[in-house]
């Protein structure tokens, strides 16, 4: 558990902005690439299948759905949503350690705080002064950043952290941003606006706004706020579930990914786990230490008394000197060891551990094990009396 104050953790969360250069570059590149993609696919459909672009395929209420609208739903909303969700999931993963190294804050809950505050202020300004362009720009920036920080936060925490959920959140948010781009694209100045009109974006936008029954400015405000609303809903749900996880601490069968962190939980006892619970107060710690020392002393006394009893029963065991006996010097200790060794050797058994060596062999005679005939120690293999084989 970190002992840093909340202000310090918030400062670290703001300092992470210096490492999020990839987000700025990615948003700008995505804005331009998406515009080229929309214009290219719209002009290509009008060039190669002009009849399909104007043909009414079905109707929703009183709105006719043409081939151009279907193209917009698939190529202009679904495809960018899948691509952006894949890229964001790849960036905010731990395959190269980028998630842990970039967002390694002790309390990941402060990650969405900066963009969340900015989004709250921008939303309040939009409600006060209306959906003006500067306010919508600030809302877009705050919403994008809040989405990224929320996904990073969700990937770092343990409770309620599912990768498919973050992928769906990123895909829906990207589709909302793409729809907001389409709503604002017909008003672009210069040749870009002309190309957008030639691609049929205006027709698609009119169809969509007519079916929704809202104005372009209001629709843009709602669309850019979708990621922030989804992020807020996830953060609230995660906070509730995290509280339940902490209430059931310690965790039962915890399984987590490499980039996740365990929730900070209070030290509570759990009888299902082996070992005694850890004390939480100094008095309990002192009492536990005193009990442990007394238990160790009793076990030591039992071991000493047991060793002394064994010494009196069997003199061949190692002698244990008690505290009431004088400690012998080196000469007395060595004499005692020699005496015990002589007693152990004089036990009536024949030592069969000697190794025969030719250097120690003598010319004395051997006896036959069968008949007792004396056999000279020479190259005699069999007993000359009974014929028994001689084992040397």
């Amino acid at each position: 558990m970190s002992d840093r104050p909340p202000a310090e953790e918030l400062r670290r969360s703001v300092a992470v902005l210096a490492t999020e250069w990839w987000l700025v570059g990615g948003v700008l590149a995505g804005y331009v690439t998406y515009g080229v993609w929309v214009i290219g696919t719209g002009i290509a459909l009008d060039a190669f299948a002009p009849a399909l672009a104007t043909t009414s395929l079905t109707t929703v209420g009183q709105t006719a759905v043409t081939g151009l609208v279907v193209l917009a739903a698939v190529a202009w909303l679904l495809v960018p949503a899948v691509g952006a969700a894949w890229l964001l999931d790849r960036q905010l993963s731990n395959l190269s350690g980028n998630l842990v190294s970039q967002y390694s804050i002790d309390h990941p809950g402060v990650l969405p705080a900066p963009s969340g505050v900015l989004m709250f202020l921008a939303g309040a300004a939009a409600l006060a002064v209306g959906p003006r362009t500067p306010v919508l720009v600030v809302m877009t920036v705050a919403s994008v950043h809040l989405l990224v920080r929320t996904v990073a936060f969700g990937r770092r925490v343990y409770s309620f952290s599912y990768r498919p959920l973050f992928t769906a959140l990123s895909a829906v948010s990207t589709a909302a941003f793409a729809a907001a781009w389409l709503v604002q694209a017909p008003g672009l100045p210069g040749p870009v606006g002309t190309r957008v009109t030639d691609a049929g974006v205006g027709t698609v936008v009119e169809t969509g706004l007519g079916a929704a029954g809202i104005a372009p400015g209001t629709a843009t405000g709602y669309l850019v706020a979708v990621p922030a609303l989804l992020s807020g809903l996830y953060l609230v749900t995660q906070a509730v579930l995290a509280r339940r996880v902490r209430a059931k601490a310690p965790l039962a069968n915890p399984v987590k990914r490499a980039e996740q962190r365990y929730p900070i939980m209070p030290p509570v006892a759990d009888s299902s786990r082996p070992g005694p619970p850890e004390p939480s107060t100094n008095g309990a710690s002192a009492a536990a230490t005193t009990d442990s020392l007394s238990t160790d002393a009793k076990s030591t006394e039992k071991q000493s008394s047991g060793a002394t009893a064994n010494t009196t029963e069997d003199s061949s065991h190692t002698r244990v000197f008690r505290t009431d006996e004088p400690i012998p010097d080196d000469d007395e200790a060595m004499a005692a060891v020699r005496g015990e060794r002589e007693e152990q050797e004089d036990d009536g058994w024949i030592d069969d551990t000697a190794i025969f060596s030719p250097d120690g062999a003598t010319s004395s005679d051997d006896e036959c094990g069968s008949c007792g005939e004396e056999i000279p120690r020479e190259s005699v293999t069999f007993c000359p009396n009974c014929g028994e084989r001689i084992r040397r």
Side-chain angles (χ1 to χ4, degrees):
M1 181 176 179
S2 174
D3 56 353
R4 294 188 179 92
E8 177 64 19
E9 290 290 90
L10 184 59
R11 187 194 64 80
R12 296 182 64 198
S13 178
V14 175
V16 177
L17 291 171
T19 65
E20 292 178 330
W21 55 267
W22 60 270
L23 180 57
V24 179
V27 169
L28 295 177
Y31 184 88
V32 176
T33 303
Y34 181 72
V36 173
W37 169 256
V38 169
I39 294 173
T41 53
I43 293 177
L45 179 64
D46 185 66
F48 294 101
L52 179 62
T54 57
T55 301
S56 178
L57 301 178
T58 184
T59 57
V60 178
Q62 298 180 353
T63 304
V65 179
T66 62
L68 182 61
V69 175
V70 175
L71 172 69
V74 176
W76 297 352
L77 297 180
L78 181 60
V79 173
V82 174
W86 179 77
L87 290 175
L88 186 59
D89 181 76
R90 182 181 179 184
Q91 177 65 31
L92 297 179
S93 64
N94 199 40
L95 297 178
S96 302
N98 52 351
L99 179 63
V100 176
S101 61
Q102 190 173 7
Y103 298 100
S104 57
I105 295 180
D106 296 333
H107 296 278
V110 301
L111 286 174
S115 51
V117 172
L118 181 60
M119 185 65 193
F120 177 79
L121 296 177
L127 294 177
V129 301
R132 298 185 179 181
T133 302
V135 176
L136 293 178
V137 171
V138 175
M139 288 182 61
T140 302
V141 173
S143 189
V144 171
H145 192 261
L146 181 59
L147 170 67
V148 173
R149 287 293 185 92
T150 301
V151 174
F153 165 76
R155 295 287 295 271
R156 287 283 284 155
V157 297
Y158 173 80
S159 55
F160 196 50
S161 178
Y162 301 99
R163 295 185 62 176
L165 174 65
F166 304 130
T167 301
L169 192 151
S170 302
V172 174
S173 300
T174 303
F177 283 129
W181 189 96
L182 294 175
V183 173
Q184 295 295 317
L188 294 176
V192 178
T194 304
R195 293 295 182 181
V196 168
T197 303
D198 295 339
V201 175
T203 304
V204 174
V205 171
E206 291 178 359
T207 302
L209 294 178
I214 56 177
T218 305
T220 304
Y222 288 160
L223 291 173
V224 298
V226 167
L229 294 176
L230 295 178
S231 299
L233 179 62
Y234 166 76
L235 292 175
V236 172
T237 305
Q238 196 277 337
V240 174
L241 296 181
R243 184 176 295 273
R244 295 182 59 185
V245 170
R246 293 188 184 96
K248 296 187 299 183
L251 298 177
N253 299 324
V255 177
K256 70 186 186 77
R257 298 189 299 269
E259 69 271 11
Q260 285 182 331
R261 298 179 71 255
Y262 283 117
I264 300 174
M265 297 178 295
V268 297
D270 185 12
S271 59
S272 63
R273 296 200 172 197
E278 296 181 357
S280 58
T281 61
N282 295 332
S285 300
T289 305
T290 304
D291 295 341
S292 178
L293 292 176
S294 62
T295 303
D296 294 341
K298 293 180 181 178
S299 61
T300 304
E301 293 177 1
K302 291 181 180 179
Q303 292 177 359
S304 300
S305 61
T308 305
N310 292 334
T311 304
T312 58
E313 293 175 0
D314 190 355
S315 61
S316 63
H317 291 175
T318 303
R319 186 178 181 184
V320 178
F321 292 94
R322 297 189 299 271
T323 57
D324 55 350
E325 296 181 352
I327 300 176
D329 55 8
D330 295 341
D331 296 336
E332 294 178 356
M334 295 301 298
V337 171
R338 285 195 298 269
E340 293 179 359
R341 183 177 299 174
E342 291 176 357
E343 293 178 359
Q344 293 177 2
E345 291 177 355
D346 190 15
D347 55 359
W349 291 87
I350 299 176
D351 185 11
D352 59 349
T353 59
I355 300 176
F356 174 78
S357 174
D359 296 336
T362 62
S363 59
S364 61
D365 296 341
D366 293 338
E367 293 182 357
C368 177
S370 298
C371 62
E373 180 71 14
E374 294 184 358
I375 302 174
R377 182 176 289 275
E378 294 177 355
S379 59
V380 179
T381 307
F382 297 92
C383 177
N385 185 25
C386 63
E388 183 68 16
R389 182 179 178 86
I390 306 301
R391 299 181 182 276
R392 299 186 184 277

